[in-house]
Amino acid sequence: MKMKTIARLIPLVAAGLASGQAAAAGFQLLEQNASGIGNSYAGSAAVAENASTIFFNPAGMTQLKDREISVGMSAVRPTFKFSDRGSSSLGAFASAGEGNDAGSWAFIPNAYMSWALTKNLYAGLGIGAPFGQVTEYNDPWVGAAQAIKFDIKTMNLNPSLAYRINDKISVGGGLNYQKMKVEYIRRAAVGPVTPLNVAGTSATLSADNDAWGWNVGALFTLSPTTKVGVSYRSSIKHDLKGDLSVSGPAAGASAALTTGAAKADVELPETFILSVTQHLNEKWEMLGDVSWTGWSSIPKVDIVRTAGALNGVTVQTLDTKFRDTWRFALGANYRLNEQVKLKFGVAYDQTPVQSDQHRLVSLPDSNRTWLSTGAQIKVAKDSLVDLGAAYLRVGESHIDNDQAALGRGRVAGVYDARVWILGAQYSMAF
């Protein structure tokens, strides 16, 4: 593949980035490659099997050939079905239904390129979407005044460098240019239906921002059969700016129901990964992963008017009270023959949601267990195709979010949730 073809491919992947359906806890997207799906992303900072190591640990580029590319796509299908168990103060939405399934298919592409500048110095570029979430309910439903749709998009460009200090130690780092877009739609209030019909009036926040972050990593080759990787990605603070638009029968009836500029600040969390890979023999390889995500960087999200009569006033607060989380993963690879390697993995992923009272209808998240499998197929001398599938068993997500005093009702019930992930990755050295 010629360099011109690769250069054309990168912006096409960037243009295709869309909202993800979060497959990791919170609204984090682990699907920065599809080659890790089969192992539940165990060993992510140590495996360095293709150019996607740029995201998980840039130091891994020193394990690659002189020039490599890797492109992939993950398809994610979550299910979030709400069952009402005592919701109250619902006004016009008292019999509006349970919202059907708030999840839907999402497609998460990625693209990476690495090349050796010298024997020991490597450069790379990665493109992905590290955070994303869409929940969308039938309108109206019992929780319509808390959320109808919540859509988070990110796009991340990650230029990186790696240096081989010696045969045992490599280090790497990169910058992250990240774009974030948010759309949040809800009904203005639960009602009742009157000439000032706030129940039939919708409020939509549309905002975006660009920001910078950084990441570093190190890879240690302890023996010909054992590698240990560590990596860190910084938090990224987004000062989202846009408009809070109001439409419907009550639009413009008061200062609170007028369209105008608004903002919302959010600091996306930092992450730390410790990984190990161990070849047991010619057939078997074990992989392990422990990761930490600093979700407490989002204790709440204030939506603030920045123009008009309510300039500087917080018109809504998403009271998340997120906690920091841990993720543990264990994987295995089995070399079937020279052309095929089979992959297996399990993982436990902790939710940042602390309680039923702080679970949002826009993020009905809970602890999840990963069960995954996949295969890596050598289709040519320097070309590999990875296929992966994972089923995420999500624990019952109970919710008792009481915003009745704010005119948004009390939503109480339980979510039946699960996630399927399918992915494919093509990697080539040239």
Side-chain angles (χ1 to χ4, degrees):
M1 184 180 289
K2 295 181 179 180
M3 288 294 291
K4 287 184 179 179
T5 304
I6 299 167
R8 290 170 184 159
L9 182 63
I10 298 295
L12 289 176
V13 174
L17 291 178
S19 307
Q21 288 279 6
F27 52 92
Q28 187 178 32
L29 297 173
L30 284 181
E31 296 77 19
Q32 301 312 298
N33 63 26
S35 53
I37 293 174
N39 297 128
S40 297
Y41 291 95
S44 60
V47 66
E49 63 182 350
N50 58 50
S52 67
T53 189
I54 289 168
F55 181 87
F56 294 100
N57 185 356
M61 284 190 286
T62 63
Q63 307 297 298
L64 305 179
K65 296 183 179 180
D66 286 351
R67 289 173 295 181
E68 294 204 17
I69 64 161
S70 187
V71 294
M73 178 73 74
S74 298
V76 182
R77 178 54 167 102
T79 294
F80 297 118
K81 290 185 177 180
F82 174 74
S83 296
D84 188 10
R85 295 184 182 176
S87 300
S88 60
S89 304
L90 298 175
F93 306 127
S95 58
E98 297 176 330
N100 203 7
D101 186 357
S104 60
W105 281 103
F107 300 92
I108 309 168
N110 64 78
Y112 301 90
M113 177 168 44
S114 72
W115 59 95
L117 303 178
T118 69
K119 177 183 176 182
N120 295 314
L121 181 64
Y122 289 69
L125 176 66
I127 303 178
F131 296 93
Q133 172 74 28
V134 181
T135 47
E136 186 168 8
Y137 298 87
N138 283 358
D139 182 24
W141 73 293
V142 295
Q146 294 193 16
I148 296 169
K149 180 180 181 182
F150 197 79
D151 185 353
I152 299 171
K153 298 181 176 75
T154 60
M155 188 273 288
N156 196 83
L157 300 178
N158 192 183
S160 304
L161 291 172
Y163 183 71
R164 182 188 292 112
I165 297 175
N166 53 44
D167 291 341
K168 302 290 185 182
I169 303 173
S170 296
V171 294
L175 294 175
N176 290 270
Y177 169 75
Q178 191 174 102
K179 186 173 184 65
M180 183 178 184
K181 293 184 177 181
V182 173
E183 183 184 36
Y184 172 38
I185 304 173
R186 66 174 180 86
R187 292 297 182 97
V190 295
V193 179
T194 67
L196 183 61
N197 187 0
V198 290
T201 300
S202 297
T204 300
L205 174 69
S206 299
D208 59 27
N209 184 66
D210 303 334
W212 289 87
W214 53 276
N215 64 300
V216 293
L219 186 64
F220 305 93
T221 304
L222 304 185
S223 74
T225 58
T226 307
K227 291 188 295 182
V228 173
V230 292
S231 68
Y232 173 83
R233 300 188 71 85
S234 74
S235 63
I236 298 181
K237 185 176 181 181
H238 285 278
D239 300 319
L240 297 159
K241 294 181 175 62
D243 291 297
L244 183 60
S245 59
V246 181
S247 60
S254 67
L257 295 171
T258 58
T259 295
K263 69 173 185 176
D265 297 339
V266 60
E267 185 175 351
L268 298 182
E270 59 188 333
T271 58
F272 174 80
I273 305 173
L274 171 64
S275 301
V276 62
T277 64
Q278 173 71 55
H279 284 274
L280 303 180
N281 51 46
E282 292 183 356
K283 291 288 189 179
W284 285 99
E285 179 185 21
M286 298 299 294
L287 308 94
D289 221 78
V290 177
S291 60
W292 172 88
T293 303
W295 282 110
S296 61
S297 66
I298 312 178
K300 63 177 182 176
V301 179
D302 291 326
I303 300 174
V304 181
R305 293 276 196 173
T306 56
L310 296 180
N311 185 18
V313 174
T314 298
V315 294
Q316 185 180 353
T317 295
L318 300 176
D319 193 16
T320 54
K321 283 189 168 58
F322 280 171
R323 64 180 177 181
D324 298 340
T325 61
W326 291 90
R327 185 179 191 273
F328 307 92
L330 182 65
N333 293 328
Y334 178 73
R335 177 66 67 181
L336 185 64
N337 52 47
E338 288 298 317
Q339 282 72 43
V340 179
K341 179 166 67 175
L342 303 179
K343 297 184 174 186
F344 312 92
V346 295
Y348 176 76
D349 204 358
Q350 190 180 37
T351 179
V353 178
Q354 293 199 56
S355 68
D356 301 352
Q357 291 72 33
H358 293 102
R359 182 165 282 113
L360 306 177
V361 299
S362 52
L363 188 65
D365 190 45
S366 191
N367 298 332
R368 58 198 64 196
T369 301
W370 291 57
L371 302 170
S372 63
T373 189
Q376 184 180 90
I377 304 166
K378 188 175 183 180
V379 294
K381 179 182 178 182
D382 292 311
S383 298
L384 298 171
V385 171
D386 279 275
L387 303 173
Y391 172 73
L392 280 59
R393 181 183 178 276
V394 182
E396 278 196 348
S397 305
H398 290 266
I399 185 171
D400 190 0
N401 195 315
D402 189 355
Q403 300 182 36
L406 301 171
R408 303 183 199 118
R410 171 176 171 253
V411 178
V414 63
Y415 282 91
D416 173 25
R418 67 190 67 89
V419 184
W420 281 98
I421 307 172
L422 304 173
Q425 193 87 16
Y426 174 75
S427 303
M428 182 182 72
F430 58 99

